[in-house]
Amino acid sequence: MRANQRTLGIMTRCQGSHFIDKGYYKKLTLFGRKQGIRVFVFSPRQVNFSSRTVAGFEYRNGAWQSDTFPLPAFVYDRCFVGPAYRNYKPFVEKLQNDRNITFLGHGLSGKWQVHQMLIHSKQLSPLLPPTELFTHSALQETLDKYNAAILKPMAGTHGIGVVRVKRRKGDFEVSGRSKDNQPFRRILQGEAGLKRFVSTFTNGRKFLVQPYLELHTPDGSPFDVRVLVQKNGEGEWETTGRAVRIGDKRSITSNLHGGGKAVPLAPFLSRHYKPALQTRIMQTIDQVAVELPRFLEQSHGRLVELGIDVGIDTAGNVWIIEVNSRPGRTVFTMINDPAAQFHSITQPVRYAHYLMKERVGGY
């Protein structure tokens, strides 16, 4: 195997020398070095396809150093999807179509596309909240049936832009997080007032409509369960860890970026659910962790890791809320789970090493 075939490029958005998750990428680099794999960070916009080189950054001698690298043989895609992704997409697609480059996994397109795939699973579809593409009529139908609805952007993270609409006597209460991730609450007069607000808030962006589920503790704190599943060094799916994310009572989401905290799953369930219900909840979460990545991969193509966000309502019903192909792993530091924390960092390198040994091509 040639030297450049043992290279792993972490593809992310870089603004000059600035890129997020430097601590995580440093640990990936150091672990990769122990496996004989050279790891570096690069932006897809900095690729020179003529010379087959890329300007990027490598952690060495205690700091991130800029350099020019041959195109990596393997790519770990950490380019988060959002409004700015359109500036990166053509370069990402060109790399994906390069026969000499293997992506560890291909990122999921968006919430609606994931829902459309999962709804065909007999095991998973009952756990999906009813979901529609946003139109004013779809919102009204959901409110007529459930009295409360959730609006969420099709491409978004950290709970930004997620809004709850509750029908009240003659008016509507709207609460959630703005595009600046600031919590807000407003009372809107009648259906005309609601329509004006929603038109301005969505502003032509694509949103989904779902019934509002009571995914909160008895004291009103929103929560969900983050399950991290990853490919291991044998190319098999494995559950790395689980953690509960609890949001601020003033919020409708539990995202850590909105001021939430994380706690271990088992003690949390024991505090809020009866033993028989705890067992059923854990069994359902385990079923999701096993079934979902395999089923999704059959429809979507190769994946390397998934952050599965699971909701549990006040009656103990389990719901699949969201699936993220570029998950964070901060929760395992917050709950002081060193084993999960270590595996969450090392599994992508182990899987890359497996692909290097097997020389598996792309889908």
Side-chain angles (χ1 to χ4, degrees):
M1 186 179 286
R2 296 193 307 273
N4 74 312
Q5 291 182 309
R6 294 187 66 83
T7 54
L8 175 62
I10 303 171
M11 186 175 68
T12 189
R13 298 184 198 172
C14 301
Q15 297 293 335
S17 61
H18 175 73
F19 50 92
I20 63 171
D21 287 339
K22 282 187 176 180
Y24 171 42
Y25 300 155
K26 170 187 169 182
K27 292 171 184 174
L28 275 177
T29 302
L30 297 176
F31 185 73
R33 203 166 285 158
K34 291 179 181 177
Q35 308 297 311
I37 300 170
R38 188 182 190 188
V39 181
F40 61 88
V41 176
F42 74 98
S43 165
R45 291 174 61 103
Q46 295 299 314
V47 173
N48 184 324
F49 288 96
S50 299
S51 63
R52 296 193 64 79
T53 59
V54 59
F57 303 90
E58 184 177 22
Y59 189 82
R60 56 179 184 264
N61 301 322
W64 287 100
Q65 310 280 347
S66 60
D67 206 341
T68 300
F69 305 87
L71 283 182
F74 295 83
V75 170
Y76 179 32
D77 182 359
R78 295 288 294 177
C79 267
F80 293 96
V81 175
Y85 187 70
R86 64 182 182 273
N87 300 320
Y88 293 80
K89 190 176 180 180
F91 304 97
V92 173
E93 289 178 344
K94 193 166 183 179
L95 288 166
Q96 288 174 335
N97 292 326
D98 193 306
R99 296 179 61 184
N100 295 311
I101 296 174
T102 299
F103 276 60
L104 303 191
H106 296 293
L108 296 171
S109 301
K111 298 179 180 71
W112 177 246
Q113 289 81 358
V114 171
H115 182 271
Q116 292 301 97
M117 287 185 270
L118 294 181
I119 206 163
H120 295 291
S121 164
K122 290 181 181 179
Q123 288 83 5
L124 301 172
S125 58
L127 308 179
L128 297 172
T131 304
E132 300 289 341
L133 289 170
F134 165 73
T135 61
H136 289 288
S137 60
L139 176 59
Q140 285 297 341
E141 287 170 11
T142 304
L143 288 169
D144 290 343
K145 188 171 182 178
Y146 301 98
N147 284 320
I150 286 284
L151 278 174
K152 57 173 66 172
M154 271 178 55
T157 57
H158 309 323
I160 298 170
V162 177
V163 174
R164 177 183 65 196
V165 182
K166 294 181 76 170
R167 187 189 293 278
R168 307 190 343 160
K169 291 181 181 178
D171 57 29
F172 297 90
E173 177 191 290
V174 179
S175 57
R177 289 192 171 273
S178 68
K179 61 182 180 181
D180 301 318
N181 207 17
Q182 296 301 311
F184 71 90
R185 178 179 174 274
R186 290 177 63 177
I187 303 298
L188 306 173
Q189 300 299 314
E191 293 187 3
L194 175 63
K195 190 170 184 177
R196 280 195 302 272
F197 169 83
V198 171
S199 296
T200 302
F201 189 84
T202 55
N203 193 29
R205 294 170 60 206
K206 294 182 178 180
F207 276 68
L208 300 180
V209 181
Q210 297 175 332
Y212 171 68
L213 303 173
E214 302 284 345
L215 308 177
H216 57 74
T217 61
D219 71 354
S221 298
F223 76 91
D224 65 10
V225 181
R226 163 56 62 93
V227 184
L228 180 61
V229 292
Q230 297 175 294
K231 294 273 188 70
N232 61 21
E234 284 74 48
E236 302 293 335
W237 284 104
E238 204 172 275
T239 299
T240 295
R242 310 170 185 83
V244 179
R245 303 183 300 183
I246 306 174
D248 189 291
K249 290 180 186 179
R250 298 168 298 174
S251 176
I252 62 167
T253 61
S254 57
N255 300 79
L256 303 180
H257 286 76
K261 64 179 181 178
V263 298
L265 175 60
F268 176 87
L269 292 180
S270 67
R271 282 197 302 275
H272 298 292
Y273 299 94
K274 293 179 179 178
L277 206 47
Q278 292 174 44
T279 301
R280 183 166 66 81
I281 290 169
M282 287 295 286
Q283 287 174 343
T284 306
I285 291 174
D286 288 343
Q287 173 196 346
V288 169
V290 170
E291 177 68 20
L292 187 147
R294 294 174 184 172
F295 186 86
L296 205 52
E297 203 168 35
Q298 289 172 7
S299 304
H300 171 79
R302 183 189 292 145
L303 294 158
V304 57
E305 59 187 353
L306 293 170
I308 307 170
D309 295 339
V310 174
I312 308 169
D313 66 24
T314 49
N317 300 306
V318 174
W319 300 93
I320 299 169
I321 302 302
E322 196 167 323
V323 185
N324 188 340
S325 56
R326 300 172 181 88
R329 51 215 80 217
T330 312
V331 287
F332 304 119
T333 305
M334 297 178 76
I335 67 171
N336 193 27
D337 187 340
Q341 189 182 353
F342 178 74
H343 280 93
S344 73
I345 293 164
T346 57
Q347 290 288 46
V349 174
R350 294 181 197 275
Y351 182 55
H353 191 244
Y354 161 80
L355 291 178
M356 289 173 187
K357 288 189 296 182
E358 298 293 318
R359 293 307 302 162
V360 177
Y363 278 90

